[in-house]
Amino acid sequence: IGGCRGAGTWLVKAEVPPGADAIVLLMGSFPERVLEATDQYHKGIARRILIVYESMGPYQMLVSRGAEVIRTTEQAHNAAVTLGVPADSITMLPGDARSTLDEALAVRSFIKDKHDIDTLLLVSSPAHMRRAAMIFKSALRNLSDEVYVGCAPSLYSGFNPDRWWRRKEDVQTVLSEYLKIASFVLFEKRDLNKRISG
């Protein structure tokens, strides 16, 4: 019973270094994540924010028919600028990302030849933080320079890790995250290793 009660708090990994070379703003529930990323920027933790372009998915069909669609990554960029982050401090990375794993690989591709980046701070939703750190640490291994991966779970989330079983949305979030962690460890990590070594 005690272990189940702590299932929510284990997911919320928080390790904010005193300084980082870049903040990685992960896509998903972007309002809470943009707020946290801009807070960390204004604290002076890092002077650069990285955002990986997400996959348009079904929205591409709308665009092909003439509809104007603002991508989530562009909304995140615009929101950060509105909150005081200079536009030239935000780097948008190509990636057509469908998952955190795709984002991690895009970041790896960006920093692999940049010897001035050895500390990253991931910003995400609290329940997503543990899995995001696992994925990024796996994706960034075997680079010429070792990269430290810090974690800043958003303080603007409604997720309650201490009482996660009391709200249906939190129960769904916790169960989903554990299933995704198991999937990463058992299946996706092997594919990731092949993509890195290949």
Side-chain angles (χ1 to χ4, degrees), residues 7-25:
T9 55
W10 183 78
L11 293 173
V12 187
K13 181 170 184 169
E15 291 180 1
V16 180
D21 300 304
I23 296 166
V24 181
L25 172 55

Side-chain angles (χ1 to χ4, degrees), residues 163-168 170-171:
R163 296 287 185 271
W164 63 269
W165 61 88
R166 293 189 173 182
R167 204 165 68 109
K168 180 180 72 173
D170 289 350
V171 171

Side-chain angles (χ1 to χ4, degrees), residues 7-197:
T9 55
W10 183 78
L11 293 173
V12 187
K13 181 170 184 169
E15 291 180 1
V16 180
D21 300 304
I23 296 166
V24 181
L25 172 55
L26 298 176
M27 288 294 93
S29 180
F30 87 88
E32 66 187 52
R33 301 179 187 189
V34 170
L35 287 165
E36 185 64 37
T38 55
D39 282 358
Q40 295 295 339
Y41 177 89
H42 290 306
K43 289 177 184 176
I45 298 297
R47 305 313 300 167
R48 182 187 329 192
I49 295 178
L50 306 179
I51 306 174
V52 180
Y53 271 109
E54 92 285 14
S55 171
M56 289 287 284
Y59 292 101
Q60 192 61 50
M61 184 68 73
L62 291 173
V63 174
S64 70
R65 296 191 182 189
E68 186 174 340
V69 178
I70 301 177
R71 298 168 71 136
T72 304
T73 39
E74 291 164 352
Q75 293 181 61
H77 172 278
N78 295 343
V81 170
T82 300
L83 294 175
V85 179
D88 60 5
S89 293
I90 304 173
T91 302
M92 307 295 288
L93 304 181
D96 195 32
R98 296 176 181 271
S99 65
T100 305
L101 192 148
D102 290 339
E103 290 178 290
L105 288 172
V107 170
R108 176 189 171 92
S109 178
F110 176 72
I111 70 171
K112 66 180 180 181
D113 296 320
K114 292 179 172 57
H115 301 290
D116 60 332
I117 298 180
D118 61 17
T119 304
L120 297 175
L121 177 63
L122 305 183
V123 172
S124 191
S125 302
H128 178 236
M129 205 74 260
R130 175 75 58 176
R131 179 165 59 93
M134 292 170 65
I135 292 171
F136 267 79
K137 286 179 180 179
S138 295
L140 298 178
R141 65 181 184 81
N142 295 338
L143 291 173
S144 56
D145 297 313
E146 185 176 346
V147 178
Y148 173 82
V149 178
C151 300
S154 177
L155 299 178
Y156 298 91
S157 171
F159 177 69
N160 186 343
D162 299 317
R163 296 287 185 271
W164 63 269
W165 61 88
R166 293 189 173 182
R167 204 165 68 109
K168 180 180 72 173
E169 292 81 1
D170 289 350
V171 171
Q172 292 172 337
T173 296
V174 169
L175 295 179
S176 174
E177 278 301 318
Y178 275 94
L179 285 173
K180 289 176 180 178
I181 287 173
S183 176
F184 174 69
V185 171
L186 296 174
F187 307 110
E188 296 168 26
K189 191 172 183 179
R190 188 184 318 157
D191 178 57
L192 172 62
N193 292 336
K194 289 179 181 177
R195 291 168 73 176
I196 290 174
S197 58

